[in-house]
Amino acid sequence: MTDLMQKPETKILILATLAGGYAGADATGQSHLDYPSNTYILPVMCPVMFPPEFFIRSFERGIDGILLMYSGTDSPYKVEAAGTAKLINQSYELMKERGIDIRRLRLAAICTVCVKPFLKEVNNMHTLLKGIGPVSAEIKPQQAEAQRTLP
Amino acid sequence: MSEKPKIGVYTCYCGGNISHTVKCEQVAKVMADQPDVVISRTNMSLCSDAGQSQIEEDIRELGVNRVVIGACAPSLHEPTFRNTVVRAGLNPYLYHHVGLREQDSWVHSCDCDGATCKAVRLMSAGVAKARFLDPLEPIRLEAEKQALVIGGGVAGLRSALDIANQGLRVVLVEKSPFLGGRMAQLAKVFPTGEEAQRLLSELIDEVVQHPRIGVFIQTEVVGVSGYVGKYGIDLLQHGRGVTAENGEALAAGCTQFVPDEFNYNLTERKVIYKPYQGCYPALPAVDWDHYDGESILLNGKKEVLQDQAQPYQLTVGAIVVATGFDPYTPHTGEYGYGELPQVATLAELIRHLAVHPEAKSLRWNGRIVRDVVMVHCVGSREIEGVDALQEDGLVNNYCSRVCCTATLHMIEELHTHFPGLNIFDLYQDIRTYGRGHEEYYRSALSSGTRFVRYNGEDRPEVIAALEGDTHPVLVHVKDALTYNQELEIPADLVVLATGMQPRQIDDLVRMLKVSRGNDRFLLEVHPKLRPVETAVNGVILAGTAQGPMNIQESILAASAAAAKVVSLLGSGQVELQPFVAAVNAAKCDGTGACVEACEYEGAIALETLVENGKEVKRAVVTAANCSGCGACVSVCPNRAIDVQGWTLAQYEAMVDAIAMDIVDLVEAE
Amino acid sequence: MTKIHVDALVVGGGIAGMQTALDLGDQGYQVALVEKEPSVGGKMITLSKVFPTLDCCSCITTPKMSAVAHHPKIQLFTYCEVDRVDGQDGEFTVSVVQKPRYVNADICTGCRLCEYECPITVPSMFDRGLGSYHAVRVPFSTAVPQIAVLDIEYCLLCGKCEKVCPVGAVDFTQTPETFEIDTTSIVLATGFEMTDVSAKKEYGAGRLSNVIDPLMMERFLAPTGPYGRVLRPGDGMEPTTIAYVQCAGSRDETLGIEYCSRTCCMYAIKQSMLISGALPLAEVTIFYMDIRTFGKGYEQFYQNAKAMGVEFVRGKVASIQEDENHYPIVRVELTEEGRVVERTFDLVVLSLGMVLGDPLARFGLQPAEDGFASLPSVNASPWATTRPGVFVAGTAGGPMDIVDSIVTASAAASAASAYIRSKTQVSIEEGEVAYV
Ligand SMILES: Cc1cc2nc3c(=O)[nH]c(=O)nc-3n(C[C@H](O)[C@H](O)[C@H](O)COP(=O)(O)OP(=O)(O)OC[C@H]3O[C@@H](n4cnc5c(N)ncnc54)[C@H](O)[C@@H]3O)c2cc1C
Ligand SMILES: Cc1cc2nc3c(=O)[nH]c(=O)nc-3n(C[C@H](O)[C@H](O)[C@H](O)COP(=O)(O)OP(=O)(O)OC[C@H]3O[C@@H](n4cnc5c(N)ncnc54)[C@H](O)[C@@H]3O)c2cc1C
Ligand code: SF4
Ligand code: SF4
């Protein structure tokens, strides 16, 4: 299983709304367009649920870049556009305090057939991380002890 | 979490679509070694009957109580597999779907190892989430199988009838003393030429005779509480002031006259009145707004009438708003309206002709009319910076959609009744868009109507002619059909094709918490996804309260509204997805940040509870009003609130699984 | 012969038919939805972005498509055509022909391996002939159901697909099969077709390579389209001057289509706005007689287009020819200036109108003068056809846009539901109105 032991240099977490980015990622797949494989997409209903600490925690655990792909003003939720923007700004403050490059966290409006914008965001983040390196260069990763011995 | 998780993990080949890139067997092997995983399998195509049966068997035989599937996009087969686990007796929310095709194999086809690593991480994240899955039930709310329809115009009537014909009970509330709304003020209607009042009375008959419809006339909605399925409604019904026995006699004895708004104040009527012959109810009513309180002679006795208003309360599951429109009233001086006696609106002309059915010639204010000028788009299609602002500082920049056809229809009527009239039609675009509408345009062209096309930036002007002129008014207009030639048209009558605006329903808007658009009409959630529903669950729109429409369109919207009401309430239960906020009372200390963050009315509130003999404040969610957006989750300092099915703990576990090195994953035995 | 019993049969799986089926299904009725193409979605699924909100069309259509496929009360029959409707008054027997897919729909998983293997490419009708697909294929990426269909007309019978199919679904022996549906009510949602591009000789009768129909432009603009960008079909050049000819096929007595098609003004404006987005240098001119932006929010949409720089020219286009390099030349009578001019463009789009999609005779219905279903009482029951129990939804009842199609679809569902109740012994609660 040696080929599995390889570690990708960086890891990009993509939190994508079901009504937007997640469907956009599916559309990209339907078009069979390649992008880097260090991208981990998790579906979310609406990103306003994430407190800024969540992003910090993710960086501390070793996530190198986070793309928040939301539906912006097209969202089915009233608060999505304004609320998410606010949380992201708060997160930037916390990131600055901790010396994390704020470009590691990015908010992008992606709709269900936004294939090109999706690719652009992913590739930009990938290129950025190539340049600035893993998050461990900026903060000491805190591998979750609890997670090694899962409940 | 009650039972210990026993997770079944399934990695699908998707007939090669996934397995050509992702080494599915390796993924399955790593997954098999994860804690709590009791079985990890691969399959050529899981969605096939055989694949689904395998999952069912594992649930039954191995006691699998959480299912994680890595396959095509969840949007394709999530419902399929939810049904699969349900068939095997598992709660549908104890299943998690990971997209390995659209988001992995299809996009990393040149990077098999990378794709396999990604699959391992995504599947581990799925397993991590599965540990935190709780069984969920859809939120079921008892729904009152009764609807409220506000407004007794053609839209409200049709909506009420359609809802009742589908088995629900309906309360129809009309503010004025008579049913029918604006349609009753029309004569023959396009595109069929039928008599509006006859069409209406057929509809009204069906409505008032329907066993499941209760009609409240002269009634206002004064209070709204509750939520979808169970709205509490307060009504106030004004007294009619007369009885079946004394109604006609009182009306006969009444001597107070007021302008008759049914005829747009062209005529007067008594303060105890019927708007027209054949109206419903046939009993006269007292116009309380104008009644001067003086006594009325009845059989030699003096009677003073009093409004004995009666309150009612009812519970309804849904509310249809069909409060209709008002014709636009031009400002004084707009095209000479209100200043020059020979300027009228189209609505006024319709009433004028209806009041004088036998007239051999067209007269306006006593004057024989030979030259008529019709002006389109009055109070519609206004341009900011060009047209005067309306009272609220906006311009009516929308098209009122009925006025073009109504105007051309009127031209046909005028030509039929008063041959020899000279008619000029001043328009921007002729919008006879509907079936049977273009015919009126062609008819007007062939009957010799002179069409003049004006430009919205340069509207026609109506001025008084000099004394002694052949005609009382002059219309100045630049005609784009003849190279912007300036015309001066002498006219005996100028008819303004005024547009539509919503009725004044500020109180109702406030009570129902519905939104209005820039055009002030009530706003739908989404013109295509949910064209007749408002953002407030259970509040539905019908007819011209939503925007300009003709009769046919109002009826269609009303029936569509009925379909929504019946879908919502037909089963007696309203079912909402369980993804709503839930408070962990043990962690909540009543800070109330969640209440502040929430944008949904009535979704979350602080309530005083007694805990260990002490009064404490705790956040309480009303699931029916919660959208599940999670704005409360991110602000809670105690992590005491979560969106069910999408908890922060689940996300953290997923992030940890993704962040973990594969070495650790492989070794995490 | 198999026989199916339902409360309502919806014919046509465009946006209107899907909405009617969903509304009826949500109310608990058994519904059969019959669609003659291999996938539901109708014309709408081929569009790019849709007015007036300019949201992307797939985002609105695909959830409805999968909803009809997964609804427990809806039986979906794709690639099936209604042949005949017998019976009356709430007791209809409808015979339906299942066309052969040459793929076993019960076991096909939509993995598309057959498609990748097929050596034949065929002009894609989904892309209006602009792109291509294989003789065996899943109809398009978001098709519902995701089941392959084999185009026997183009098939070489090489058998490659049969060999590669992991579940053995390819079956060359299929033949058309007829089955019957017993139903209480029928909703006709068979939709529209565009007016014939070749009918108007003056506009080149469909033979000018850079004069296209508007659905082609939709495909150029669609994110799922064949090229992912706007180009001239004649030579692949990116156009910089584009003209729209309004009422090309409507309001035209010489074509016998005197009515207004009511959507073409709006889609032309929409497309111009999208073109301005896709090709920032492009200049779009719309030649029109009347701009009919009558719907909610539509006038504002028109004004926005004007503000964006779309040129609106009032004039009747007399003819379109092309120069030696196939650049279309538009000859137009400018009413505002009173002269006739000729202007050359890179690309011309004809704003074609709408005609009835499918003949009415097999449903026992009479067309009205305009060819669409005759509706005898539009000001009382605008969904009712001449045949009791048969209702109409969407563009089968006349030209209209998506918003109106959806509203008429829900209205037809309401009417059908009331009708079904009146014909069957649904236990109706005869409750009186309750108030306290
Ligand atoms: C000049 C003119 C000519 C027209 N000619 C034609 C034609 O020929 N053919 C055609 O198809 N259409 C025509 N129309 C359009 C037609 O009048 C409308 O489509 C139709 O009347 C709309 O019906 P409605 O039920 O939506 O609204 P309305 O008729 O306005 O009914 C609304 C009802 O709600 C009641 N209401 C309001 N507020 C409240 C409240 N708070 N509580 C309780 N009740 C309330 C009102 O009293 C009224 O009875 C014409 C319109 C105009 C202006
Ligand atoms: C170029 C263009 C652009 C447009 N853009 C917009 C826009 O931006 N916004 C907007 O609102 N509207 C737009 N429209 C209008 C929109 O396309 C229509 O309003 C809508 O698609 C009509 O839907 P429908 O369901 O009535 O008909 P259709 O989409 O035609 O669906 C009818 C369905 O019935 C099936 N069928 C037909 N006959 C049978 C039969 N005998 N048996 C079984 N099935 C059958 C057909 O295969 C089809 O799937 C546009 C139209 C065009 C031409
Ligand atoms: S329908 Fe005609 S008159 Fe009325 S606002 Fe629209 S364009 Fe003007
Ligand atoms: S909608 Fe516009 S282009 Fe289409 S027929 Fe009507 S007026 Fe002509």
Side-chain angles (χ1 to χ4, degrees), chain B residues 430 432-433 438, chain C residues 245-251 259-266 288-292 294 351-353:
Chain B
I430 294 290
T432 42
Y433 58 87
E438 191 80 0
Chain C
V245 178
Q246 295 309 105
C247 302
S250 312
R251 303 180 64 191
Y259 55 85
C260 162
S261 291
R262 118 179 228 178
T263 51
C264 12
C265 279
M266 275 301 279
Y288 72 99
M289 298 203 288
D290 298 282
I291 289 292
R292 294 192 166 167
F294 55 85
S351 290
L352 297 175

Side-chain angles (χ1 to χ4, degrees), chain B residues 15 17 146 166 169 212 381 429-432 435 438 442 453 483 522 526 528 546 559 564, chain C residues 23 55 111 113 251 258 290-293 296 299 314 336 370 373 383 397 406 414 417 428 432:
Chain B
N17 274 299
Q146 169 161 287
Q166 295 174 74
R169 285 170 277 117
R212 282 188 297 279
R381 299 184 65 184
D429 297 278
I430 294 290
R431 294 188 169 168
T432 42
R435 281 181 88 184
E438 191 80 0
R442 279 201 300 278
R453 184 166 195 268
Y483 341 129
L522 295 178
H526 187 284
K528 282 182 219 66
Q546 189 188 2
S559 295
K564 297 299 150 196
Chain C
D23 280 339
D55 35 20
C111 72
L113 291 179
R251 303 180 64 191
E258 303 190 357
D290 298 282
I291 289 292
R292 294 192 166 167
T293 47
K296 186 165 178 171
E299 178 69 16
R314 193 171 195 282
E336 319 222 337
D370 59 10
W383 44 78
I406 291 176
S414 226
S417 152
I428 297 174
E432 290 283 299

Side-chain angles (χ1 to χ4, degrees), chain C residues 404-427:
Chain C
D404 290 339
S405 295
I406 291 176
V407 170
T408 57
S410 290
S414 226
S417 152
Y419 184 81
I420 297 164
R421 283 185 156 260
S422 74
K423 289 292 161 191
T424 52
Q425 268 64 52
V426 183
S427 60

Side-chain angles (χ1 to χ4, degrees), chain B residues 367 370 464-474 490-492:
Chain B
R367 192 188 159 89
R370 274 185 312 266
L466 292 178
E467 204 124 348
D469 210 331
T470 50
H471 292 73
V473 284
L474 299 173
D492 301 304

Side-chain angles (χ1 to χ4, degrees), chain B residues 443-476:
Chain B
S443 147
L445 282 167
S446 64
S447 64
T449 306
R450 170 81 195 279
F451 281 90
V452 175
R453 184 166 195 268
Y454 74 86
N455 193 322
E457 275 99 34
D458 207 356
R459 287 190 176 241
E461 266 179 72
V462 181
I463 54 169
L466 292 178
E467 204 124 348
D469 210 331
T470 50
H471 292 73
V473 284
L474 299 173
V475 182
H476 287 195

Side-chain angles (χ1 to χ4, degrees), chain B residues 236-424:
Chain B
L236 186 68
Q237 181 166 42
H238 294 278
R240 197 140 189 104
V242 306
T243 62
E245 288 73 43
N246 69 14
E248 295 295 342
L250 272 172
C254 171
T255 52
Q256 189 199 342
F257 281 83
V258 291
D260 185 356
E261 78 283 312
F262 189 78
N263 291 332
Y264 298 104
N265 304 342
L266 296 173
T267 59
E268 289 200 324
R269 63 154 163 78
K270 291 182 177 176
V271 79
I272 304 176
Y273 73 109
K274 290 197 278 189
Y276 61 99
Q277 282 309 315
C279 62
Y280 183 90
L283 188 63
V286 178
D287 174 356
W288 298 114
D289 290 342
H290 296 106
Y291 174 49
D292 57 11
E294 294 292 317
S295 56
I296 293 166
L297 213 54
L298 178 70
N299 301 332
K301 273 201 306 200
K302 285 186 169 179
E303 297 257 352
V304 174
L305 306 177
Q306 241 146 33
D307 178 7
Q308 272 147 357
Q310 172 96 31
Y312 291 90
Q313 282 176 343
L314 48 121
T315 311
V316 298
I319 302 170
V320 176
V321 187
T323 50
F325 75 100
D326 277 330
Y328 172 77
T329 311
H331 310 290
T332 307
E334 191 177 351
Y335 299 101
Y337 185 80
E339 288 175 353
L340 306 176
Q342 299 304 107
V343 177
T345 67
L346 177 61
E348 290 168 3
L349 180 58
I350 293 174
R351 288 316 306 155
H352 174 85
L353 298 179
V355 173
H356 306 285
E358 305 299 332
K360 293 275 173 300
S361 55
L362 179 61
R363 282 171 181 274
W364 192 265
N365 275 325
R367 192 188 159 89
I368 295 240
V369 174
R370 274 185 312 266
D371 297 297
V372 186
V373 174
M374 320 286 277
V375 183
H376 287 238
C377 306
V378 175
S380 305
R381 299 184 65 184
E382 293 175 339
I383 304 170
E384 221 175 293
V386 175
D387 291 292
L389 300 179
Q390 300 293 335
E391 263 165 42
D392 57 2
L394 299 172
V395 293
N396 295 346
N397 59 1
Y398 56 88
C399 164
S400 290
R401 129 181 224 165
V402 292
C403 17
C404 269
T405 314
T407 303
L408 297 173
H409 177 222
M410 172 56 82
I411 290 176
E412 190 177 83
E413 289 288 294
L414 289 175
H415 275 306
T416 314
H417 291 289
F418 312 110
L421 278 185
N422 260 327
I423 304 181
F424 293 81

